[in-house]
């Protein structure tokens, strides 16, 4: 690409945009339903450990790769590895993963816009029980016309946002809407906790039953840590490429991870207090929030307006995430092939729409076509979240820890950092500057990325297929 690469308006702009990518259907739709299917609190503990030990170090690494190269995911690996063909393939794998995720992400986002319109039509007024709500959801999602129309509308909206470019499109929308979404979720969590029987939901979320943990559950929790933070396929590399050398990588990463995790937990409280107060099944699957929340809105004073606002904001949260996935694809073709931005966005978005059609129909016409008891939708989800993203994360850790190496990585991380970055890690958090070579934050991060993260990811893979 010619000329200077567009930068974020400020570190704050980046934090909001990256949080816009991270916070999406993963937090509000997927996290509750997989936590519900995999035993609740114990699953959540594994997920939080994965975020802490693996997610944060990899988030930092992706930002380093992006900022250092100032390029798209393929170009970034090529440049930092001196054109090593293996690492270029890792870059292409990221683009492939973006297509896989978008194909079914668009579908669920379509449900959300569809439910925004159901709210406007007043449909939630009829949902006096969860059974009525879930019958309705079942009917809608099995209607090919309903599903594909909303999916297409969502794809068109994401094309529109990516058209406007990085700053105007992505940053602007994230800034405005994220805080409103958070306020609504907090309100729903407080409301749910005040319901009769809501405390059983809190116990489900916070009192671990370790018996529910096995290799598969651990893999799903790890995969979700990647999915929810947008890690492992280059979204954060691409956003990091719009970072300037004065931006602080470490604090930006910590902010995004904190916001994303906080929002998931609040969403979990909102959903499970309601699930348990209505005596519903937490392992309800992908329809969970669409069955539960409209019933909650039905019973809440002014709930209709709340419901409309909720699905509107959920759709927008999904949009800012979908846009970051589309941006991974777009920036590659724009940087490398000199295609016009508009053409690339339209063509790639249309391909994700086409590839997503079988996922869209997995709840209706294609319901009975299953491989290993998984529908097309489930396969896309499993392949991307539980294989491609952790696999991509493993490769990123190996790249930074073993190929790019200590000296260059640390220099890259240090640029734009605070003074306390180099001081002893224990004192740094107390705000004191005590120089200590060995236990600096950078060194501890590097130990995580070189040893701990790759070993843990490998162990989880081996455990999930029963080798250990
Ligand atoms: N993090 C997004 C979410 O939670 C999904 C996503 C995954 C976005 C991977 C970009 C890359 O909804």
């Amino acid at each position: 690409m010619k000329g200077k690469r567009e930068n974020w308006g400020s570190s704050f702009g980046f934090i909001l945009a990256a949080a816009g990518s991270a916070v999406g259907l993963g937090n509000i739709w997927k996290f509750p339903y997989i936590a519900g299917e995999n035993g609740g609190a114990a699953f959540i503990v594994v997920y939080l450990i994965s975020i802490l030990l693996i997610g944060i170090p990899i988030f930092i690494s992706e930002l380093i790769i992006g900022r250092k190269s100032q390029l798209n995911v393929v170009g970034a690996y090529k440049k930092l590895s001196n054109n090593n063909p293996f690492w270029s393939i890792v870059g292409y794998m990221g683009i492939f993963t973006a297509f896989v995720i978008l194909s079914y992400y668009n579908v669920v986002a379509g449900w959300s816009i569809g439910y925004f319109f159901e709210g406007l039509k007043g449909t939630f007024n009829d949902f006096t029980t969860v059974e009525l709500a879930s019958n309705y959801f079942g009917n809608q999602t099995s209607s090919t016309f309903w599903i594909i129309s909303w999916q297409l509308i969502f794809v068109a909206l994401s094309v529109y946002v990516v058209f406007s470019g990085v700053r105007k499109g992505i940053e602007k929308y994230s800034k405005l809407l994220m805080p409103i979404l958070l306020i609504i979720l907090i309100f729903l969590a407080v409301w749910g906790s005040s319901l009769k029987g809501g405390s059983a939901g809190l116990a489900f979320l916070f009192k671990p039953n370790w018996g529910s943990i096995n290799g598969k559950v651990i893999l799903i929790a790890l995969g979700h840590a990647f999915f929810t933070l947008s890690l492992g396929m280059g979204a954060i590399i691409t956003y990091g490429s719009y970072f300037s050398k004065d931006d602080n990588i470490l604090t930006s990463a910590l902010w995004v991870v904190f916001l994303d995790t906080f929002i998931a937990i609040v969403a979990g409280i909102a959903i499970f207090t309601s699930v348990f107060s209505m005596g519903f099944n937490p392992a309800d699957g992908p329809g969970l929030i669409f069955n539960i929340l409209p019933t909650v809105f039905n019973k809440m004073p002014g709930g209709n307006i709340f419901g409309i606002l909720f699905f509107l904001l959920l759709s927008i949260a999904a949009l800012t995430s979908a846009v970051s996935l589309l941006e991974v694809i777009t920036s590659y073709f724009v940087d490398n092939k000199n295609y016009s931005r508009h053409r690339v966005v339209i063509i790639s978005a249309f391909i994700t729409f086409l590839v997503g059609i079988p996922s869209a129909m997995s709840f209706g016409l294609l319901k009975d076509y299953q491989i290993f008891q998984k529908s097309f939708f489930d396969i896309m989800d499993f392949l991307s979240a539980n294989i491609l993203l952790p696999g991509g994360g493993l490769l990123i850790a190996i790249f930074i820890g073993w190929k790019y190496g200590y000296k260059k990585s640390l220099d890259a991380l240090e640029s734009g950092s605070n003074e306390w970055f180099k001081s002893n890690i224990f004192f740094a958090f107390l705000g004191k500057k005590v120089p200590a070579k060995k236990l600096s934050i950078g060194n501890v991060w590097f130990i995580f990325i070189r040893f701990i993260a790759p070993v843990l990811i490998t162990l989880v893979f081996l455990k999930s297929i029963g080798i250990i």
Side-chain angles (χ1 to χ4, degrees):
M1 196 167 74
K2 287 152 206 92
K4 191 174 174 320
R5 197 172 182 79
E6 194 179 8
N7 276 156
W8 299 110
S10 59
S11 285
F12 183 60
F14 165 81
I15 292 173
L16 279 171
S21 165
V23 176
L25 295 170
N27 309 58
I28 297 164
W29 159 75
K30 194 174 177 196
F31 174 69
Y33 104 72
I34 57 176
E37 279 182 341
N38 293 290
F43 170 87
I44 296 175
V45 171
V46 180
Y47 153 78
L48 291 175
I49 294 176
S50 310
I51 297 228
L52 217 60
L53 302 186
I54 301 170
I56 295 177
I58 292 186
F59 203 107
I60 293 173
S61 308
E62 287 206 23
L63 283 181
I64 290 179
I65 297 175
R67 178 167 75 177
K68 199 73 209 166
S69 62
Q70 301 270 305
L71 284 171
N72 64 83
V73 59
V74 175
Y77 278 112
K78 271 195 186 147
K79 183 165 167 187
L80 301 191
S81 73
N82 295 326
N83 281 320
N84 177 322
F86 172 76
W87 291 107
S88 314
I89 294 174
V90 177
Y92 288 113
M93 195 176 111
I95 293 181
F96 174 71
T97 310
F99 275 107
V100 178
I101 298 182
L102 268 174
S103 71
Y104 75 94
Y105 204 86
N106 291 337
V107 173
V108 181
W111 298 349
S112 177
I113 313 191
Y115 262 55
F116 163 61
F117 276 90
E118 296 296 332
L120 287 177
K121 271 172 30 196
T123 310
F124 305 157
N125 291 334
D126 304 332
F127 295 165
T128 44
T129 65
V130 195
E131 282 65 33
L132 287 172
S134 51
N135 286 343
Y136 193 83
F137 180 72
N139 280 339
Q140 297 306 90
T141 50
S142 58
S143 146
T144 307
F145 176 74
W146 189 83
I147 261 282
I148 291 192
S149 323
W150 289 121
Q151 181 198 1
L152 188 60
I153 288 173
F154 181 79
V155 172
L157 285 172
S158 44
V159 167
Y160 170 74
V161 178
V162 180
F163 258 23
S164 338
V166 175
R167 288 246 327 251
K168 276 204 259 53
I170 303 168
E171 203 172 329
K172 191 176 88 190
Y173 290 92
S174 309
K175 238 180 218 164
L176 194 66
L177 299 155
M178 290 264 307
I180 313 180
L181 178 64
L182 183 58
I183 293 170
I184 293 208
L185 282 173
I186 292 177
F187 179 83
L188 285 175
V190 173
W191 174 267
S193 306
S194 73
L195 295 175
K196 205 165 138 267
S199 54
L202 294 176
F204 180 76
L205 279 173
F206 298 117
K207 277 213 185 119
N209 160 17
W210 300 109
S212 58
I213 294 291
N214 58 35
K216 197 183 118 234
V217 170
I218 297 177
L219 179 65
I220 295 176
L222 173 72
H224 189 64
F226 278 95
F227 186 86
T228 190
L229 293 176
S230 307
L231 291 180
M233 45 70 68
I236 301 300
I237 294 182
T238 309
Y239 273 21
S241 75
Y242 305 112
F243 232 41
S244 91
K245 66 180 191 328
D246 306 322
D247 289 325
N248 188 329
I249 287 190
L250 182 71
T251 49
S252 305
L254 291 178
W255 264 111
V256 176
V257 172
F258 169 75
L259 278 173
D260 186 78
T261 313
F262 182 69
I263 289 182
I265 300 289
V266 177
I269 297 176
I271 310 288
F272 285 109
T273 48
S274 306
V275 166
F276 280 84
S277 80
M278 290 190 255
F280 198 61
N281 173 17
D284 184 42
L288 182 68
I289 67 161
F290 294 91
N291 298 333
I292 286 294
L293 290 180
T295 326
V296 173
F297 297 134
N298 176 290
K299 298 195 181 359
M300 187 189 272
N304 226 335
I305 304 209
F306 241 84
I308 294 167
L309 206 57
F310 174 83
F311 283 110
L312 176 67
L313 290 168
L314 179 61
S315 310
I316 294 169
L319 193 61
T320 53
S321 302
V323 158
S324 72
L325 286 156
L326 205 49
E327 183 65 25
V328 170
I329 305 171
T330 309
S331 65
Y332 165 69
F333 285 104
V334 172
D335 282 357
N336 281 33
K337 306 278 175 203
N338 257 327
Y339 293 152
S340 87
R341 188 171 181 90
H342 285 196
R343 208 171 99 194
V344 174
V345 177
I346 292 188
I347 296 174
S348 28
F350 193 66
I351 296 175
T352 67
F353 167 71
L354 292 180
V355 185
I357 289 178
S359 291
M361 290 165 62
S362 291
F363 300 84
L365 277 181
L366 297 182
K367 204 182 202 147
D368 299 324
Y369 289 87
Q370 303 211 332
I371 308 169
F372 299 123
Q373 290 170 353
K374 282 190 188 315
S375 66
F376 197 83
F377 179 97
D378 297 332
I379 291 173
M380 289 304 192
D381 181 27
F382 187 83
L383 173 68
S384 53
N386 300 336
I387 298 181
L388 291 170
L389 295 182
L394 177 62
L395 291 166
I396 288 168
I398 294 174
F399 181 73
I400 286 290
W402 297 88
K403 168 96 188 148
Y404 198 56
Y406 176 76
K407 172 102 190 43
K408 283 197 251 170
S409 304
L410 246 72
D411 282 349
L413 176 55
E414 224 167 76
S415 156
S417 68
N418 302 338
E419 267 186 56
W420 54 261
F421 179 77
K422 281 194 205 156
S423 58
N424 184 300
I425 195 163
F426 296 112
F427 292 103
F429 283 111
L430 298 171
K432 298 204 177 88
K433 280 176 278 159
V434 179
K437 274 231 161 65
K438 296 219 167 56
L439 259 186
S440 69
I441 295 179
N443 284 355
V444 172
W445 163 76
F446 198 75
I447 293 172
F448 270 84
I449 209 65
R450 186 170 159 106
F451 301 108
I452 300 180
V455 168
L456 286 180
I457 298 173
T458 310
L459 289 177
V460 174
F461 273 136
L462 294 177
K463 181 142 183 72
S464 71
I465 47 176
I467 290 187
I468 52 171

